Amino acid sequence: DKGGHRHFMLKEIMDQPQAMTAALKDRADFANGRPADVMQLERVVLIGCGTSLHAAQVGRHYIERLAGIPAEAESASEFRYRDPIIGPRTLVVSIGQSGETADTVAAMHLAREKGATLITICNAEESQAARVADGALYMHAGLEVGVASTKTFVASLTILQLLSVYLGQLRGKLDAETTRRLVDQMARGPGLIGEVLAEANLYSSLARRIGHYDNFLFLGRGANAAIASEGALKLKEISYIHAEGYPAGEMKHGPIALIDPEMCTVALAPRDDLRDKTLSNIKEVKARGGLVVAVLTKGDDEAASEVDFPLFIPQAPDLLMPLVTTVPLQLLSYYIALLRGCDVDQPRNLAKSVTVE
Ligand code: F6R
């Protein structure tokens, strides 16, 4: 049931506030609690593929910041063919909508052999990932039909944030009051996402202005670097447009050579600690004749005056920012793909669940 929408993908984008609420619900006891082990952890390794890899990359920021544990994110397809140095003091967190991705499951088996503690964040219950892991944190996002992951990405980020707060609390990095404040803050997420969704029409008209570009560069910093990669992935998957996602700080090391009037840059520059840095990248793109679409915080007229198409999102706490900035990029991809007559829900060459390498 597409809930009155033309495609499952749009329905699933629109369902994201509920997906976030569902992921937040009933988590008080997700602690199949082994506090002693948690104190021993030296490192967290987050693995996944595609969109789930991007969730892992955001999760890395959450773990470091909230739990104070060194963390890294890696593609499961790379991890499984290395000889990663992990052991009982490593927590491996696998992320996957399906829980059936061949590379992710193989990477989990490797982690298990090496004696790591293994958790999976997945949507599909009774999946292989859930069977291999010591514990599963389910997204409860409901069935995702569109091949392009949307609501399960938001659900993954929500659970990663909860997991990070949980670890931070157990390890004494977060006191009770901070924990409460963070949980209250997360509860604001669905409303913030809803505010972006309420303006979905804007993205449809923007798509008509920029949908003919054949090259897109997505830029962001911090957790938004992962969202830039996710924005590029969404666009290439469903509209077949060449798109790259880059940490904005990497611009000068190569991608800037691509900038000309034929290149559309989508920059994520909401008001946060890194906004000024990204704004200077935006100016560099403009100085070279590139077109700039930018996701900005409402009221940031200074930044808006520097770009061709500002896309405003509500002011959000830093930790919720990636959940909010991802929504405009999903909507933009959707409407561009629609305009180009692509099969949004079943893009060519792709499968919902990649069970072979
Ligand atoms: C992106 C997409 C794919 C999946 C990837 C991993 O929209 O759908 O990149 O994210 O194949 O799938 P899961 O999350 O099921 O492991």
Side-chain angles (χ1 to χ4, degrees):
D1 174 21
K2 295 178 193 158
H5 295 289
R6 194 156 155 200
H7 294 97
F8 283 108
M9 184 182 178
L10 187 58
K11 172 182 188 283
E12 288 159 3
I13 290 174
M14 292 298 179
D15 277 351
Q16 289 180 122
Q18 292 90 296
M20 184 171 185
T21 305
L24 283 169
K25 238 162 106 185
D26 304 329
R27 290 293 166 184
D29 63 346
F30 74 58
N32 25 17
R34 291 184 305 173
D37 296 356
V38 166
M39 290 313 288
Q40 302 301 317
L41 289 178
E42 287 175 347
R43 194 156 63 106
V44 178
V45 176
L46 301 122
I47 54 173
C49 295
T51 292
S52 295
L53 170 61
H54 300 145
Q57 290 166 345
V58 175
R60 182 235 181 133
H61 288 267
Y62 288 157
I63 297 276
E64 289 188 337
R65 199 146 142 208
L66 298 169
I69 312 173
E72 61 207 78
E74 189 175 3
S75 162
S77 64
E78 285 295 312
F79 180 87
R80 67 176 289 196
Y81 291 119
R82 287 196 293 120
D83 191 7
I85 299 170
I86 53 174
R89 294 188 169 197
T90 314
L91 171 66
V92 173
V93 181
S94 86
I95 301 156
Q97 182 283 128
S98 61
E100 301 291 345
T101 297
D103 282 322
T104 306
V105 173
M108 291 176 72
H109 280 291
L110 177 65
R112 154 126 288 173
E113 274 163 36
K114 292 187 175 263
T117 306
L118 188 57
I119 306 185
T120 190
I121 296 175
C122 68
N123 197 34
E125 302 191 12
E126 291 173 38
S127 59
Q128 284 204 65
R131 277 196 291 274
V132 180
D134 296 316
L137 299 174
Y138 292 111
M139 298 178 195
H140 302 303
L143 187 65
E144 189 176 64
V145 179
V147 162
S149 288
T150 50
K151 64 177 179 176
T152 55
F153 180 64
V154 160
S156 301
L157 299 190
T158 305
I159 293 179
L160 283 162
Q161 205 172 126
L162 281 169
L163 175 64
S164 306
V165 170
Y166 171 67
L167 292 174
Q169 186 195 23
L170 285 183
R171 287 168 66 97
K173 163 115 166 85
L174 305 175
D175 59 28
E177 198 203 314
T178 311
T179 303
R180 205 170 323 110
R181 191 175 48 74
L182 288 166
V183 171
D184 287 349
Q185 184 180 290
M186 269 185 262
R188 290 181 51 209
L192 292 166
I193 292 172
E195 283 184 48
V196 180
L197 293 173
E199 300 186 329
N201 288 343
L202 293 178
Y203 298 86
S204 162
S205 49
L206 176 60
R208 286 193 290 274
R209 312 281 295 271
I210 63 170
H212 59 284
Y213 279 76
D214 288 321
N215 291 289
F216 280 75
L217 180 62
F218 288 75
L219 300 175
R221 286 175 185 260
N224 274 324
I227 303 302
S229 301
E230 174 58 11
L233 180 63
K234 285 283 93 83
L235 187 66
K236 74 182 87 163
E237 278 186 295
I238 60 167
S239 70
Y240 319 138
I241 295 174
H242 174 231
E244 294 194 54
Y246 256 97
E250 278 289 310
M251 262 275 283
K252 284 206 166 118
H253 303 285
I256 198 165
L258 294 169
I259 304 298
D260 68 10
E262 312 283 284
M263 172 67 81
C264 180
T265 296
V266 181
L268 299 169
R271 260 196 214 288
D272 60 15
D273 292 351
L274 297 166
R275 174 261 192 198
D276 294 354
K277 300 279 170 199
T278 309
L279 192 55
S280 13
N281 295 118
I282 288 174
K283 290 177 185 166
E284 286 160 2
V285 173
K286 283 310 305 164
R288 285 158 184 83
L291 187 85
V292 177
V293 175
V295 176
L296 305 171
T297 303
K298 241 173 223 150
D300 190 352
D301 298 332
E302 185 204 347
S305 69
E306 303 287 345
V307 310
D308 298 286
F309 299 107
L311 294 173
F312 291 111
I313 56 167
Q315 176 69 55
D318 270 14
L319 293 165
L320 288 180
M321 202 62 101
L323 291 114
V324 181
T325 53
T326 198
V327 181
L329 307 189
Q330 295 169 340
L331 288 168
L332 197 57
S333 298
Y334 173 76
Y335 285 113
I336 290 178
L338 199 63
L339 194 77
R340 290 192 167 215
C342 299
D343 188 348
V344 175
D345 283 335
Q346 292 204 298
R348 69 186 184 201
N349 307 343
L350 291 171
K352 182 70 185 156
S353 179
V354 184
T355 54
V356 289
E357 263 187 87

